[in-house]
Amino acid sequence: MAEAVTYELLHKDAKTGARRGVIHTPHGDIQTPVFMPVGTQAAVKCMRPEQVRDMGAEIILSNTYHLYMRPGHDLIKEAGGLHKYMNWDRAILTDSGGFQVFSLGRLRKITEEGVSFQSHIDGSSHMLSPEKCMEIQQALGSDIMMAFDECAPYPAERDYIVDSMHRTMRWLERCKAAWTNRENQALFGIMQGGVFKDLRRESAEIITDMDLPGYAVGGLSVGEPKDIMLDVMDDCVELLPENKPRYLMGVGTPDYLFEAVERGIDMCDCVEPTRIARHGIATTSHGRINLKNAQYTRDFTPLDDECDCYACRHYSKAYIRHMIKAGEAMGPMLLSEHNLHFLINMMKNMRKAIEEDRFMEYKTEFYEKYGGFD
Amino acid sequence: MAEAVTYELLHKDAKTGARRGVIHTPHGDIQTPVFMPVGTQAAVKCMRPEQVRDMGAEIILSNTYHLYMRPGHDLIKEAGGLHKYMNWDRAILTDSGGFQVFSLGRLRKITEEGVSFQSHIDGSSHMLSPEKCMEIQQALGSDIMMAFDECAPYPAERDYIVDSMHRTMRWLERCKAAWTNRENQALFGIMQGGVFKDLRRESAEIITDMDLPGYAVGGLSVGEPKDIMLDVMDDCVELLPENKPRYLMGVGTPDYLFEAVERGIDMCDCVEPTRIARHGIATTSHGRINLKNAQYTRDFTPLDDECDCYACRHYSKAYIRHMIKAGEAMGPMLLSEHNLHFLINMMKNMRKAIEEDRFMEYKTEFYEKYGGFD
């Protein structure tokens, strides 16, 4: 039986771990490395799907936990699947819901079976298990399904991470067993192990032994210092096979994207571009700007003089600031468009740089212009 | 000197007062009768200008009071005028700000000079007078400016309406005197007089004597019963000259639009289509529906089976209901698109019906399908 999702390596950067590839899916090809916009509740916030597509997005991420809670995976299945329901005909990756369920804190309880929790909407009781997680994602019909895992917090005791990682590995076996729609949907395994390199190695061996269509690095960027994160990531990427896509979960600021791609990561996602948009913040080639700052009151230039997105072609900072201050939906609409376009365009530039073996040169140029990260 | 705005009568319906015309403006022609979407704060809420244009809108309304308060007319002038600032290259009508200022209630005080009031944003003190109103609208650069008037409440004593109407007429003289940019902007006079027909007649005589490019019927649809409103409107329209556009202010539900057009009104505006969108309500050819109602949970049909708007072509009621329930911006975005498209398409059908001398037949068909108004 043909795999639903396959990876093709096109070129490796001569000087770094960065690599240029294509992921083939039932809903089209994805040029990698790629940034995936997030459509948590079956919509990329403040954006029409055509706008997301037209800026070059070939895949979006949607959240299993949220869709399970509302409107329900059975309803989406009845609607003809998530693609049709939300009017997005390109690829979709769904997360496992694990991250959200574990984030519920006191409202959830972990057992070998899975996680029991109370809905953040109405307090109703639910259980998410590897089998349930696969049932939901197969009802949604996403192209790439993520295994049910525990994304352990930082800091955490080694003993906790050992237990958690091993349980996640047992859950992955159960996910694989419950994965029936292999012709149309791929299952990606997730490496855990916190910041402990030996545990990462053990986890990597277990997941790669299962020969899945793709692998993710989970449990990073959860609060650990940047240098520790980058050090662990160095190891993680090397532990993953070259012939499968590598996905670093929940990362989406320019600096982390550069660091991840430099090490050989192919896929990233983050809610940040649309979230900061709702707070009046734009990412530009000269760094971040907050449109609420008074200095933009009479600034009639575009958000970014190097950007050709819809917002930059048609509107000034002064106008967008007014929209934000006046509470008009147009403010987040324009900033979401710009912020997503910015990251997608940056990834496009990274791909071109890799093809030309000048990834580090592009990174250096970008950083110099951007001027410092947090 | 050529008038900035002129009216051309194309055809009169054989059986009613309805008429088909064109208003020529510096920013293109407007086919009448027309419904004008409202962009209060320099944006039609939840909509990109291209979307408003693509559904056929040839003119939008923007609010002088709101733009004066924030971001300020001087800023918009500096930005190159309202058209450029908000990325709308078709016609714009600005109201006078009077309606909003009078709505401030205890925060405002009326004198012969004008109205002093406190900003709803920061409580700062301001004075809006006929001269100031013209200064603001000329800075904004709208194609059609409305005279500064008092939109008196209903019910009101006759004595109050007499005084108010006469003051509004004196204010109109001052607006006309302060109207300097006649090559690019038109001034419309506003008839007042409450529900008193003799006062309406007197007001109509005063404003038409001033030979302005267009006239509005103000002070209706402010709470009076529908039969009284329609009775007064009968008279009002007849008092206005045939060679100038006639604008009924603040009206935008299907029934009122039909009644207005039937009597010979050419222009209407209302915030309602986008306001009800934010409350989860859609206007359809079969009446209004509230997407919050549980009956739409698994309704996978479009909002309106006769509509070809973006929302109806791509989304189901079930999806839009989910967006509304989940607090996603996409909900109001899709419903605003649909509701505006619905009214604009209805006006297009009215224009065609007038051309074919079958306005009443179209009205009857529409009402039968729509099924009852409030």
Side-chain angles (χ1 to χ4, degrees):
Chain A
M1 189 171 67
E3 294 274 6
V5 169
T6 56
Y7 175 76
E8 187 183 345
L9 177 61
L10 298 179
H11 183 76
K12 290 169 75 173
D13 182 65
K15 291 165 259 174
T16 70
R19 61 194 211 146
R20 176 74 183 84
V22 188
I23 300 171
H24 304 287
T25 84
H27 288 88
D29 288 352
I30 303 154
Q31 303 300 321
T32 61
V34 64
F35 173 79
M36 304 184 283
V38 178
T40 297
Q41 304 190 102
V44 176
K45 288 193 197 299
C46 303
M47 300 285 294
R48 286 187 178 187
E50 291 76 11
Q51 293 160 359
V52 180
R53 187 193 64 208
D54 290 350
M55 62 175 67
E58 293 171 328
I59 180 169
I60 59 169
L61 181 148
S62 202
N63 291 106
T64 291
Y65 167 76
H66 287 93
L67 298 178
Y68 172 41
M69 290 293 100
R70 183 172 57 195
H73 57 296
D74 51 340
L75 186 149
I76 291 177
K77 187 177 184 179
E78 201 180 325
L82 185 55
H83 291 85
K84 186 178 172 196
Y85 178 66
M86 70 179 291
N87 183 33
W88 174 258
D89 61 5
R90 294 189 173 180
I92 300 176
L93 180 148
T94 42
D95 66 1
S96 71
F99 181 77
Q100 282 76 23
V101 169
F102 282 96
S103 303
L104 292 172
R106 296 200 319 161
L107 294 174
R108 50 82 177 163
K109 192 182 161 208
I110 309 170
T111 62
E112 184 62 26
E113 171 61 15
V115 184
S116 53
F117 64 96
Q118 290 180 287
S119 162
H120 74 287
I121 298 169
D122 60 8
S124 56
S125 293
H126 301 268
M127 156 70 82
L128 209 52
S129 64
E131 291 77 16
K132 186 73 190 178
C133 172
M134 297 307 291
E135 178 201 328
I136 297 168
Q137 293 186 77
Q138 290 183 115
L140 297 175
S142 52
D143 301 274
I144 299 173
M145 305 185 290
M146 298 308 296
F148 188 63
D149 69 326
E150 177 179 1
C151 176
Y154 178 90
E157 295 297 322
R158 182 182 167 90
D159 286 353
Y160 183 87
I161 298 291
V162 169
D163 288 349
S164 165
M165 184 271 280
H166 285 148
R167 186 170 48 232
T168 287
M169 296 299 101
R170 292 190 296 275
W171 284 350
L172 177 56
E173 284 284 5
R174 287 164 56 191
C175 281
K176 191 178 175 188
W179 168 35
T180 53
N181 185 22
R182 298 195 182 193
E183 265 180 87
N184 301 304
Q185 296 182 272
L187 172 65
F188 277 25
I190 304 174
M191 181 207 299
Q192 290 290 349
V195 296
F196 306 101
K197 294 187 176 184
D198 59 325
L199 299 181
R200 287 277 172 186
R201 176 171 300 274
E202 187 186 347
S203 180
E205 281 167 8
I206 297 170
I207 63 175
T208 53
D209 276 354
M210 289 196 219
D211 192 28
L212 296 166
Y215 300 104
V217 178
L220 283 186
S221 194
V222 292
E224 73 282 6
K226 189 172 178 179
D227 57 338
I228 293 181
M229 192 269 202
L230 296 181
D231 183 43
V232 175
M233 193 172 29
D234 275 337
D235 277 35
C236 289
V237 176
E238 282 171 17
L239 296 168
L240 293 174
E242 199 164 60
N243 64 339
K244 300 288 173 72
R246 303 160 180 162
Y247 166 28
L248 177 63
M249 304 177 79
V251 158
T253 52
D255 53 342
Y256 277 70
L257 289 169
F258 270 102
E259 299 298 342
V261 169
E262 183 179 337
R263 285 161 177 79
I265 290 292
D266 305 303
M267 309 163 73
C268 292
D269 78 283
C270 196
V271 296
E272 191 172 85
T274 49
R275 175 172 288 166
I276 62 175
R278 299 195 298 284
H279 292 100
I281 295 167
T283 306
T284 81
S285 55
H286 301 285
R288 278 199 180 176
I289 60 175
N290 187 336
L291 277 301
K292 287 181 182 164
N293 288 346
Q295 72 184 98
Y296 302 113
T297 306
R298 287 171 186 271
D299 186 333
F300 299 110
T301 63
L303 292 171
D304 188 342
D305 53 11
E306 295 182 16
C307 181
D308 65 349
C309 82
Y310 174 82
C312 288
R313 276 184 286 116
H314 297 298
Y315 296 95
S316 63
K317 294 191 195 80
Y319 179 81
I320 298 172
R321 172 181 155 80
H322 168 53
M323 291 292 105
I324 295 288
K325 296 282 285 181
E328 286 281 340
M330 183 66 105
M333 284 162 67
L334 291 175
L335 287 176
S336 295
E337 168 92 25
H338 171 79
N339 288 344
L340 284 175
H341 182 279
F342 183 84
L343 287 190
I344 285 170
N345 191 57
M346 188 185 80
M347 299 307 288
K348 193 172 150 194
N349 290 338
M350 281 194 207
R351 291 196 295 270
K352 187 156 182 288
I354 295 168
E355 288 167 5
E356 297 167 356
D357 291 321
R358 52 171 191 82
F359 179 81
M360 281 311 286
E361 288 86 332
Y362 175 56
K363 182 184 173 189
T364 304
E365 281 164 32
F366 185 96
Y367 275 51
E368 273 173 12
K369 203 184 294 169
Y370 197 90
F373 294 95
D374 298 334
Chain B
M1 190 171 63
E3 294 274 6
V5 169
T6 56
Y7 176 76
E8 188 183 345
L9 177 61
L10 298 179
H11 183 75
K12 291 169 76 175
D13 182 65
K15 291 165 259 176
T16 70
R19 61 194 212 147
R20 176 74 183 84
V22 188
I23 300 171
H24 304 287
T25 85
H27 287 87
D29 288 351
I30 304 156
Q31 304 299 321
T32 61
V34 64
F35 173 79
M36 304 183 283
V38 178
T40 297
Q41 304 191 102
V44 176
K45 287 192 197 298
C46 303
M47 300 285 296
R48 284 188 180 185
E50 291 74 13
Q51 292 160 358
V52 181
R53 187 193 63 207
D54 290 350
M55 63 175 66
E58 293 171 328
I59 179 170
I60 60 169
L61 180 148
S62 201
N63 291 107
T64 291
Y65 166 77
H66 287 92
L67 297 179
Y68 172 41
M69 291 292 98
R70 183 172 57 194
H73 58 294
D74 52 341
L75 185 150
I76 292 177
K77 185 176 184 179
E78 203 180 325
L82 185 54
H83 291 86
K84 187 178 172 196
Y85 178 66
M86 69 180 292
N87 184 32
W88 174 257
D89 60 6
R90 293 188 174 181
I92 300 176
L93 179 148
T94 42
D95 67 1
S96 70
F99 181 78
Q100 282 76 22
V101 169
F102 282 97
S103 303
L104 292 172
R106 296 201 318 161
L107 294 175
R108 50 86 176 159
K109 191 183 161 208
I110 309 170
T111 62
E112 183 63 26
E113 172 62 16
V115 184
S116 52
F117 63 97
Q118 290 179 290
S119 162
H120 73 288
I121 300 169
D122 60 9
S124 56
S125 294
H126 301 268
M127 156 70 82
L128 210 51
S129 63
E131 292 76 16
K132 187 74 189 178
C133 173
M134 297 307 291
E135 178 200 329
I136 298 168
Q137 292 186 78
Q138 291 183 116
L140 297 176
S142 52
D143 301 274
I144 299 173
M145 305 185 289
M146 299 308 298
F148 188 63
D149 69 326
E150 178 179 2
C151 176
Y154 178 90
E157 295 296 322
R158 182 182 166 90
D159 285 353
Y160 183 87
I161 298 292
V162 169
D163 286 349
S164 165
M165 184 271 281
H166 284 148
R167 187 170 49 233
T168 287
M169 296 300 101
R170 292 190 295 274
W171 283 351
L172 176 57
E173 283 285 4
R174 287 165 55 190
C175 282
K176 191 178 175 189
W179 168 34
T180 52
N181 185 21
R182 299 194 179 193
E183 264 179 87
N184 300 305
Q185 296 182 271
L187 172 64
F188 278 23
I190 304 174
M191 183 206 299
Q192 290 290 351
V195 295
F196 305 101
K197 293 187 177 187
D198 59 324
L199 299 182
R200 287 278 172 186
R201 176 171 300 275
E202 188 186 343
S203 180
E205 281 167 8
I206 297 170
I207 64 176
T208 53
D209 276 354
M210 288 196 218
D211 192 28
L212 296 167
Y215 300 103
V217 178
L220 283 186
S221 194
V222 291
E224 72 283 6
K226 190 172 178 179
D227 56 338
I228 293 180
M229 192 269 204
L230 296 180
D231 183 43
V232 175
M233 193 171 29
D234 275 337
D235 277 36
C236 288
V237 177
E238 283 172 14
L239 295 170
L240 294 173
E242 199 164 58
N243 63 339
K244 300 287 173 73
R246 303 162 181 161
Y247 166 28
L248 177 63
M249 304 177 80
V251 158
T253 52
D255 53 341
Y256 276 70
L257 289 169
F258 270 102
E259 299 297 343
V261 170
E262 184 180 337
R263 284 160 177 79
I265 290 291
D266 305 303
M267 308 162 74
C268 291
D269 78 284
C270 197
V271 296
E272 191 172 84
T274 48
R275 176 172 287 168
I276 63 175
R278 298 195 299 283
H279 292 101
I281 295 167
T283 305
T284 81
S285 55
H286 300 285
R288 277 198 182 177
I289 60 175
N290 188 335
L291 277 301
K292 287 182 181 162
N293 289 346
Q295 71 184 99
Y296 302 114
T297 306
R298 286 170 188 271
D299 186 333
F300 299 111
T301 63
L303 292 171
D304 188 342
D305 52 11
E306 296 182 16
C307 181
D308 65 349
C309 82
Y310 174 81
C312 288
R313 277 185 286 116
H314 297 298
Y315 295 96
S316 64
K317 295 190 194 80
Y319 180 81
I320 298 172
R321 172 182 156 79
H322 167 54
M323 291 292 106
I324 295 288
K325 296 282 285 181
E328 286 281 340
M330 183 65 105
M333 284 163 68
L334 292 175
L335 287 177
S336 295
E337 169 91 24
H338 171 79
N339 288 344
L340 284 176
H341 182 279
F342 183 85
L343 288 189
I344 284 170
N345 192 56
M346 188 185 81
M347 299 307 288
K348 194 173 150 193
N349 291 337
M350 282 194 207
R351 292 197 295 270
K352 188 157 181 288
I354 296 169
E355 288 167 5
E356 296 167 356
D357 290 320
R358 54 171 190 81
F359 178 80
M360 281 311 287
E361 288 88 331
Y362 175 56
K363 182 184 172 190
T364 304
E365 282 164 31
F366 185 96
Y367 276 51
E368 273 173 12
K369 202 183 295 167
Y370 196 90
F373 293 96
D374 299 334

